[in-house]
Tab-separated table of all heavy atoms in Angstrom:
chain	number	residue	atom	x	y	z
A	399	ASP	N	-14.863	16.708	-58.610
A	399	ASP	CA	-15.800	16.145	-59.488
A	399	ASP	C	-15.524	14.580	-59.646
A	399	ASP	O	-16.497	13.795	-59.662
A	399	ASP	CB	-15.767	16.885	-60.888
A	399	ASP	CG	-16.886	16.391	-61.766
A	399	ASP	OD1	-18.038	16.577	-61.380
A	399	ASP	OD2	-16.642	15.760	-62.819
A	400	MET	N	-14.373	14.372	-59.818
A	400	MET	CA	-13.890	12.856	-59.913
A	400	MET	C	-14.251	12.079	-58.567
A	400	MET	O	-14.724	11.058	-58.658
A	400	MET	CB	-12.391	12.844	-60.176
A	400	MET	CG	-11.806	11.464	-60.337
A	400	MET	SD	-11.285	10.690	-58.794
A	400	MET	CE	-9.738	11.397	-58.520
A	401	TRP	N	-14.101	12.715	-57.455
A	401	TRP	CA	-14.328	12.163	-56.149
A	401	TRP	C	-15.866	11.769	-56.166
A	401	TRP	O	-16.176	10.673	-55.802
A	401	TRP	CB	-14.000	13.158	-55.043
A	401	TRP	CG	-14.054	12.632	-53.690
A	401	TRP	CD1	-14.246	11.219	-53.326
A	401	TRP	CD2	-13.827	13.333	-52.503
A	401	TRP	NE1	-14.067	11.190	-52.003
A	401	TRP	CE2	-14.005	12.415	-51.430
A	401	TRP	CE3	-13.661	14.687	-52.142
A	401	TRP	CZ2	-13.920	12.842	-50.091
A	401	TRP	CZ3	-13.548	15.010	-50.908
A	401	TRP	CH2	-13.613	14.067	-49.786
A	402	GLY	N	-16.669	12.848	-56.487
A	402	GLY	CA	-18.094	12.616	-56.479
A	402	GLY	C	-18.515	11.459	-57.312
A	402	GLY	O	-19.348	10.486	-57.036
A	403	GLU	N	-17.817	11.370	-58.497
A	403	GLU	CA	-18.161	10.332	-59.496
A	403	GLU	C	-17.733	8.927	-58.921
A	403	GLU	O	-18.469	8.036	-59.059
A	403	GLU	CB	-17.374	10.513	-60.716
A	403	GLU	CG	-17.344	9.206	-61.567
A	403	GLU	CD	-17.428	9.338	-63.037
A	403	GLU	OE1	-17.631	10.308	-63.639
A	403	GLU	OE2	-17.314	8.236	-63.667
A	404	CYS	N	-16.568	8.837	-58.244
A	404	CYS	CA	-16.199	7.523	-57.660
A	404	CYS	C	-17.174	6.976	-56.703
A	404	CYS	O	-17.476	5.786	-56.577
A	404	CYS	CB	-14.807	7.612	-56.989
A	404	CYS	SG	-13.523	7.792	-58.185
A	405	VAL	N	-17.581	7.882	-55.864
A	405	VAL	CA	-18.597	7.436	-54.801
A	405	VAL	C	-20.022	7.252	-55.464
A	405	VAL	O	-20.730	6.267	-55.127
A	405	VAL	CB	-18.738	8.448	-53.529
A	405	VAL	CG1	-19.773	8.008	-52.589
A	405	VAL	CG2	-17.425	8.666	-52.986
A	406	GLY	N	-20.302	8.036	-56.457
A	406	GLY	CA	-21.635	8.000	-57.121
A	406	GLY	C	-21.755	6.746	-57.809
A	406	GLY	O	-22.853	6.197	-57.897
A	407	ARG	N	-20.665	6.236	-58.437
A	407	ARG	CA	-20.759	4.863	-59.079
A	407	ARG	C	-21.066	3.900	-58.164
A	407	ARG	O	-21.963	2.945	-58.652
A	407	ARG	CB	-19.233	4.475	-59.638
A	407	ARG	CG	-18.749	5.313	-60.875
A	407	ARG	CD	-17.465	4.724	-61.207
A	407	ARG	NE	-16.874	5.680	-62.315
A	407	ARG	CZ	-15.689	5.492	-62.805
A	407	ARG	NH1	-15.010	4.402	-62.398
A	407	ARG	NH2	-15.245	6.262	-63.849
A	408	MET	N	-20.709	3.866	-57.021
A	408	MET	CA	-21.203	2.801	-56.052
A	408	MET	C	-22.653	3.024	-55.805
A	408	MET	O	-23.390	2.019	-55.829
A	408	MET	CB	-20.355	2.947	-54.706
A	408	MET	CG	-20.858	2.054	-53.608
A	408	MET	SD	-20.185	2.359	-52.015
A	408	MET	CE	-20.460	0.957	-51.120
A	409	MET	N	-23.057	4.164	-55.481
A	409	MET	CA	-24.518	4.342	-55.124
A	409	MET	C	-25.265	4.016	-56.307
A	409	MET	O	-26.400	3.244	-56.111
A	409	MET	CB	-24.693	5.906	-54.816
A	409	MET	CG	-23.890	6.306	-53.716
A	409	MET	SD	-24.736	7.528	-52.717
A	409	MET	CE	-23.709	7.836	-51.341
A	410	ALA	N	-24.929	4.203	-57.613
A	410	ALA	CA	-25.776	3.884	-58.602
A	410	ALA	C	-25.865	2.330	-58.699
A	410	ALA	O	-26.904	1.764	-59.055
A	410	ALA	CB	-25.181	4.466	-59.947
A	411	SER	N	-24.681	1.782	-58.550
A	411	SER	CA	-24.528	0.232	-58.659
A	411	SER	C	-25.530	-0.392	-57.572
A	411	SER	O	-26.043	-1.531	-57.822
A	411	SER	CB	-23.177	-0.262	-58.441
A	411	SER	OG	-23.069	-0.907	-57.244
A	412	LEU	N	-25.801	0.337	-56.466
A	412	LEU	CA	-26.691	-0.336	-55.494
A	412	LEU	C	-28.187	0.106	-55.822
A	412	LEU	O	-28.951	-0.311	-54.839
A	412	LEU	CB	-26.303	0.254	-54.085
A	412	LEU	CG	-24.763	-0.068	-53.640
A	412	LEU	CD1	-24.466	0.491	-52.383
A	412	LEU	CD2	-24.336	-1.560	-53.846
A	413	GLY	N	-28.301	0.837	-56.748
A	413	GLY	CA	-29.728	1.283	-57.069
A	413	GLY	C	-30.170	2.523	-56.340
A	413	GLY	O	-31.403	2.739	-56.285
A	414	VAL	N	-29.271	3.245	-55.889
A	414	VAL	CA	-29.653	4.628	-55.310
A	414	VAL	C	-29.909	5.642	-56.467
A	414	VAL	O	-29.191	5.666	-57.419
A	414	VAL	CB	-28.513	5.101	-54.465
A	414	VAL	CG1	-28.912	6.504	-53.727
A	414	VAL	CG2	-28.047	4.161	-53.350
A	415	THR	N	-31.131	6.118	-56.356
A	415	THR	CA	-31.475	7.136	-57.541
A	415	THR	C	-31.937	8.531	-56.902
A	415	THR	O	-31.870	8.630	-55.742
A	415	THR	CB	-32.681	6.476	-58.306
A	415	THR	OG1	-33.826	6.518	-57.405
A	415	THR	CG2	-32.451	5.111	-58.690
A	416	ASP	N	-32.543	9.302	-57.890
A	416	ASP	CA	-33.027	10.525	-57.365
A	416	ASP	C	-34.224	10.519	-56.521
A	416	ASP	O	-34.864	11.522	-56.020
A	416	ASP	CB	-33.231	11.617	-58.610
A	416	ASP	CG	-34.160	10.959	-59.656
A	416	ASP	OD1	-34.681	9.795	-59.491
A	416	ASP	OD2	-34.344	11.610	-60.769
A	417	GLU	N	-34.722	9.233	-56.375
A	417	GLU	CA	-36.031	9.010	-55.610
A	417	GLU	C	-35.522	8.860	-54.100
A	417	GLU	O	-36.391	8.751	-53.142
A	417	GLU	CB	-36.789	7.811	-55.894
A	417	GLU	CG	-36.982	7.811	-57.561
A	417	GLU	CD	-38.434	7.684	-57.806
A	417	GLU	OE1	-39.243	7.120	-57.058
A	417	GLU	OE2	-38.921	8.433	-58.774
Side-chain angles (χ1 to χ4, degrees):
D399 188 62
M400 181 272 277
W401 188 10
E403 158 140 6
C404 285
V405 180
R407 286 182 186 182
M408 173 187 200
M409 296 210 177
S411 111
L412 307 181
V414 180
T415 68
D416 55 5
E417 313 236 323

